[in-house]
Amino acid sequence: MKLPVFKNLAKTVSVEAMETALEVLEAYADSPAVKEPEQEVIGEMISNICGAIEMKQMMEEEGMDERTAANTFMQRVMGSIDK
C-alpha cells in the first residue's frame, strides 16, 4: 500500500471510476493465463484503489480533510495488522 497513490487517486478519480477499475482488475486476475507475479502486482493495485476509495469516502461523507482521512485509514490498517 502506498499513501501517495491513495492521495493521488482520491484527488483525481471518482469512486465510480475506481469501482469500475476494481471490477476489471479482479476479472483480469481471475484468468488462468495470469501468472502469480502478475497477480501480486494486480493485488497491490487493488489494495491501493480500495484505500483510495475509503479515503475519498471519508473526505466526501465525513468531511475530513485529506491528511486526516489518510491518517485515519492508515491507523485502521495498522490496527488490523496488529491483531
Side-chain angles (χ1 to χ4, degrees):
M1 289 203 233
K2 298 180 181 170
L3 192 55
V5 174
F6 294 176
K7 289 180 178 181
N8 184 53
L9 288 173
K11 280 186 209 175
T12 60
V13 182
S14 70
V15 170
E16 295 79 17
M18 287 188 272
E19 288 173 343
T20 300
L22 284 175
E23 289 179 40
V24 172
L25 288 170
E26 289 169 352
Y28 184 88
D30 286 341
S31 171
V34 177
K35 303 297 180 213
E36 190 172 330
E38 293 171 296
Q39 288 177 334
E40 290 175 15
V41 171
I42 293 167
E44 181 72 16
M45 292 171 68
I46 288 171
S47 293
N48 287 326
I49 293 169
C50 288
I53 290 171
E54 294 236 4
M55 200 174 131
K56 188 168 187 97
Q57 288 175 332
M58 283 187 266
M59 291 165 58
E60 290 177 351
E61 295 170 8
E62 299 175 32
M64 290 184 187
D65 61 59
E66 179 184 279
R67 183 178 185 160
T68 303
N71 287 336
T72 301
F73 177 76
M74 292 308 289
Q75 287 172 353
R76 190 176 328 145
V77 169
M78 296 306 289
S80 70
I81 292 172
D82 292 339
K83 290 182 181 178

